[in-house]
Amino acid sequence: MTSPDKDMLTIALPKGKLFQPSADLLARFGYTAEGLSENSRKLVIANEAKKIQFVITKPMDLPTYVEYGAADIGIIGKDVLLEEARNVYELLDLNFGLCRLMLAVPAALKREKLSDYAHMRVATKFPRVAEQFFLDHGIQMEIIKLNGSIELAPMVGLAEMIVDIVETGRTLKENNLIEIAHLHRATARFIANRVSFKMKFDRIQPMVEEMRKLLSEGAIG
Amino acid sequence: MAKQEYIPQVPYGTKDILPQDAARKRRVENELARLFLAWGYQEVVTPTFEYHETLKAGAPEESDDSSFRFFDRNGRMLALRPDMTTPIARVAVMRMKDDPLPFRLFYLANVFRQEESQAGRQCEFYQAGVELLGAGGIAADAEVVALAVEALMAAGLTEFQVCLGQVDFIGGIMTEAGLDAQTGQAVKRLLLERNLVGLAELLDECRIDDDIKQLLQQLPMLHGKLELLQQVRERVKNPISQAAIDNLADIYGLLQSYGIDRYVTFDLGIIRDFEYYTGMVFEAYTSGLGYPICGGGRYDRMAGSFGREQPATGFALGIERVLMALERQGLAVESVPQNIYVGWAPGKLTAAIAEVRRLRAKGTQSELALQAQSRLEAETECKRRNCKELLYLD
């Protein structure tokens, strides 16, 4: 559902590490609102003068808000887009929030080839991406969906391996995990609802162009 | 031990339409049927399920088969119809082959798709649509687009946008780019997924002309009025894409004659099934709904899968989506109490029956009390049943 006020542009931002850089980026060309913060108690934060409103969602839910048109546009990581596979326009790679989706095992379990890991249990927040990766490599695995603290799973014997996102690799080291395969590189993306992109083309398209300009000047990221 | 009470459920993706919503649905469907008839279209009704191979023959080859399938007692696979276009193409080829072309056919039907529910689209959902079979050319295309606009208005919508595109435009550019088959498929898939980032990355790896690369990347942004067509016409060099643009401009000219051009925008990046559509395509959008409410276009190849080539164009609109949009835009017609409640004192049932017969013959909706009541009881019951007024016989 787009906002009943057809002139209002609804922007979805994800909680977590992408929130601040996303809010800062939009603010650079005037898309901001008073009290816009990750911990805002208000669920919808509007800027009436600019005819925009923000909703702040859990990252995994954000593509759903945009697909249904509850939000017109949003900024979200490619990792989440891959996992959710929602029908939305992926308009721009914003080049920040770089991380990678990878497969890791405890050092003691390291084997020679990927196929040596067949039939092990894999804990992940990204079951669809993991499933696809193993399918592509012709390996059958048992996938266990978790909602966070994935690196805990191998320590207590819930799973042998994990598919997770890493930025620096520090958490892996601390937990004595070794990366054995790279699945995807992920950065923040600018997305739009398929109808909003057409109905509100005159508002969304200039945003795309402005961001593209900033990107080409190397001013984002 | 007490017997466990049975709690009924309805299957995932289905729903009951209760009286108030059913009345709204009926009202919209009646308006649409009236409109389609006025445009010379005739209704067809086809079986709810068909042989799976029939539906498969009409469907695009690569499409995910989301149909509900089951077997008859001879072990042949059946499927609930996932849309009405294939059954109608079958009927036209099988049953109407000696009738004079073109056929103008319409339908109001439920269709079934086994997929995750979307806004205004459960696994079973209702469609209204038309198919204009046996006519190529811009007059047929313009008629279908104009009728779609009239249909949205007849349904009660006031603000909506119809975006018009042409699959040959993209096809021409792809041919001109000289991409190998595999890359071409990948480009189409990325376009279908609306993944412009992936598209840009892929095109950067291809060695193709810069102008064409830019055009492909900008496809989804090629959105605008008549000036857009002129601008793009100057940028493309291949005759297929040029012809596609001229085709759209010609259709637009006719839409002006129909007086509905203000609802129409061009969108050369409209992405509908590439294998299925063969010319003009369109989608309609309205605010308050994140999905298209209506879509269609020209599909000249489909009847060929049933043994007779024939040009075809048509559209389908989602009834639930229209109803949802009306509601969200505050345009839903409130249902007002219509019924007259006919109550009666002991011994007056015969007179009451005479009275309701008289009312019904005039077309006045009336409910007959099923047992004797005092006037006071009848008044209370009339209110409780939300009837318009009471007629009491004593």
Side-chain angles (χ1 to χ4, degrees):
Chain A
M1 169 183 37
T2 35
S3 156
D5 180 352
K6 68 184 174 56
D7 298 324
M8 189 68 95
L9 189 73
T10 304
I11 305 170
L13 294 178
K15 287 198 167 112
K17 69 185 169 75
L18 289 184
F19 177 82
Q20 207 51 54
S22 304
D24 292 347
L25 169 64
L26 291 169
R28 283 171 70 171
F29 39 96
Y31 282 80
T32 188
E34 204 184 313
L36 177 62
S37 89
E38 194 179 349
N39 303 313
S40 162
R41 298 190 70 111
K42 267 165 73 182
L43 298 175
V44 179
I45 304 149
N47 178 340
E48 293 293 342
K50 286 243 169 193
K51 286 275 178 202
I52 51 176
Q53 60 184 9
F54 291 88
V55 291
I56 301 168
T57 76
K58 284 208 158 205
M60 281 289 183
D61 294 339
L62 192 141
T64 308
Y65 279 82
V66 175
E67 184 188 77
Y68 275 71
D72 296 305
I73 53 176
I75 294 177
I76 188 66
K78 179 67 178 174
D79 48 329
V80 175
L81 284 179
L82 284 166
E83 179 59 29
E84 288 289 301
R86 292 281 167 182
N87 191 349
V88 295
Y89 273 103
E90 186 180 328
L91 294 170
L92 269 185
D93 182 348
L94 297 173
N95 257 333
F96 62 80
L98 175 68
C99 61
R100 61 185 195 279
L101 267 161
M102 53 91 237
L103 174 66
V105 286
L109 274 180
K110 192 165 176 344
R111 310 272 171 90
E112 212 165 288
K113 307 190 299 291
L114 199 56
S115 54
D116 295 337
Y117 298 100
H119 300 289
M120 286 190 179
R121 291 169 300 174
V122 184
T124 184
K125 245 170 106 170
F126 300 88
R128 188 199 296 256
V129 179
E131 185 98 49
Q132 189 60 47
F133 172 78
F134 293 117
L135 197 68
D136 291 344
H137 288 80
I139 311 171
Q140 195 180 17
M141 304 296 273
E142 191 182 322
I143 288 172
I144 299 170
K145 162 90 203 286
L146 295 179
N147 289 307
S149 306
I150 311 297
E151 61 284 353
L152 174 61
M155 293 169 69
V156 295
L158 176 60
E160 283 79 37
M161 320 175 73
I162 64 168
V163 165
D164 203 8
I165 43 173
V166 293
E167 279 170 81
T168 58
R170 210 183 68 212
T171 317
L172 287 184
K173 260 197 213 91
E174 283 171 4
N175 293 293
N176 204 19
L177 291 162
I178 295 175
E179 178 174 342
I180 54 168
H182 170 91
L183 277 64
H184 293 282
R185 176 184 178 273
T187 46
R189 305 293 157 100
F190 184 52
I191 64 172
N193 172 268
R194 56 186 288 206
V195 170
S196 301
F197 184 56
K198 303 299 178 187
M199 296 281 287
K200 298 179 182 178
F201 190 78
D202 296 339
R203 295 193 71 183
I204 298 173
Q205 177 56 10
M207 293 179 79
V208 175
E209 288 312 321
E210 277 202 67
M211 288 188 201
R212 205 193 296 280
K213 213 171 113 219
L214 289 175
L215 279 167
S216 69
E217 290 163 1
I220 304 181
Chain B
M1 197 171 78
K3 197 175 160 212
Q4 186 96 41
E5 210 174 313
Y6 174 64
I7 302 169
Q9 297 180 327
V10 295
Y12 175 82
T14 64
K15 70 169 181 187
D16 300 310
I17 304 176
L18 297 180
Q20 200 172 40
D21 291 330
R24 284 187 180 145
K25 172 171 171 289
R26 173 72 66 191
R27 200 174 299 129
V28 165
E29 287 177 343
N30 284 348
E31 289 302 322
L32 292 172
R34 205 189 329 251
L35 174 76
F36 296 153
L37 287 167
W39 282 59
Y41 286 71
Q42 294 176 300
E43 184 169 10
V44 279
V45 178
T46 69
T48 304
F49 53 89
E50 303 239 4
Y51 286 121
H52 181 248
E53 64 203 43
T54 307
L55 298 171
K56 191 101 184 138
E61 256 172 52
E62 288 165 52
S63 65
D64 295 341
D65 191 343
S66 59
S67 60
F68 282 90
R69 277 158 282 175
F70 49 104
F71 294 94
D72 69 7
R73 62 170 80 180
N74 299 318
R76 280 188 79 177
M77 202 195 291
L78 306 169
L80 297 178
R81 57 187 178 210
D83 64 54
M84 281 297 287
T85 306
T86 310
I88 287 180
R90 178 188 59 72
V91 166
V93 172
M94 251 174 99
R95 307 266 179 237
M96 300 171 69
K97 54 175 179 282
D98 299 326
D99 297 359
L101 291 169
F103 303 145
R104 287 187 169 86
L105 302 172
F106 83 86
Y107 57 86
L108 293 161
N110 48 348
V111 296
F112 308 84
R113 290 182 204 168
Q114 214 162 170
E115 56 191 15
E116 196 183 338
S117 299
Q118 307 170 349
R121 179 187 284 187
Q122 305 257 305
C123 293
E124 177 183 20
F125 59 102
Y126 290 81
Q127 287 190 325
V130 305
E131 311 293 347
L132 173 45
L133 305 169
I138 56 168
D141 287 324
E143 176 170 314
V144 163
V145 176
L147 183 49
V149 170
E150 295 280 350
L152 294 171
M153 289 196 276
L157 289 167
T158 50
E159 274 185 73
F160 53 86
Q161 196 183 92
V162 174
C163 286
L164 219 56
Q166 234 287 4
V167 294
D168 283 346
F169 176 76
I170 303 177
I173 293 176
M174 302 270 287
T175 312
E176 189 185 344
L179 299 170
D180 59 80
Q182 202 186 346
T183 317
Q185 282 306 322
V187 168
K188 284 178 176 175
R189 188 174 46 75
L190 290 165
L191 281 169
L192 271 176
E193 287 171 1
R194 300 180 168 79
N195 181 353
L196 309 191
V197 174
L199 181 66
E201 284 167 3
L202 177 70
L203 292 172
D204 273 341
E205 288 169 18
C206 300
R207 274 205 306 233
I208 51 173
D209 184 82
D210 265 353
D211 284 351
I212 296 186
K213 188 184 285 186
Q214 274 211 337
L215 214 49
L216 274 174
Q217 272 174 19
Q218 289 170 5
L219 263 180
M221 326 283 179
L222 298 179
H223 177 97
K225 285 291 191 182
L226 210 50
E227 323 79 72
L228 172 93
L229 283 193
Q230 284 148 7
Q231 285 164 18
V232 177
R233 180 76 165 74
E234 285 159 24
R235 287 179 60 190
V236 293
K237 292 171 212 97
N238 77 81
I240 300 171
S241 299
Q242 287 174 346
I245 289 181
D246 296 342
N247 174 251
L248 286 181
D250 293 344
I251 292 169
Y252 190 75
L254 296 179
L255 295 178
Q256 287 173 316
S257 308
Y258 276 111
I260 51 108
D261 48 300
R262 70 199 155 96
Y263 293 103
V264 176
T265 307
F266 295 105
D267 193 321
L268 297 168
I270 279 206
I271 291 149
R272 294 181 71 77
D273 201 310
F274 291 104
E275 311 304 317
Y276 184 82
Y277 289 101
T278 57
M280 171 216 67
V281 287
F282 67 98
E283 282 183 345
Y285 314 115
T286 186
S287 59
L289 201 66
Y291 298 86
I293 36 174
C294 170
R298 176 164 286 287
Y299 56 100
D300 289 346
R301 277 195 293 267
M302 204 233 267
S305 22
F306 297 118
R308 188 168 73 168
E309 292 285 338
Q310 89 190 347
T313 174
F315 71 81
L317 67 85
I319 299 286
E320 287 97 331
R321 286 187 177 167
V322 167
L323 292 170
M324 194 179 269
L326 288 172
E327 180 129 0
R328 288 186 178 162
Q329 293 170 19
L331 297 169
V333 183
E334 283 308 315
S335 60
V336 283
Q338 296 266 340
N339 287 1
I340 291 186
Y341 186 74
V342 180
W344 42 278
K348 294 292 179 187
L349 178 54
T350 307
I353 289 175
E355 191 56 36
V356 288
R357 287 184 66 195
R358 193 183 59 79
L359 288 169
R360 288 167 186 165
K362 284 196 306 182
T364 307
Q365 295 178 21
S366 41
E367 280 184 48
L368 177 64
L370 297 175
Q371 61 206 19
Q373 289 162 324
S374 70
R375 179 178 287 274
L376 190 66
E377 281 167 345
E379 276 170 5
T380 313
E381 191 62 9
C382 175
K383 274 204 201 85
R384 204 171 69 88
R385 303 192 62 77
N386 199 21
C387 287
K388 187 172 73 174
E389 58 186 81
L390 170 69
L391 200 139
Y392 185 72
L393 294 158
D394 55 1

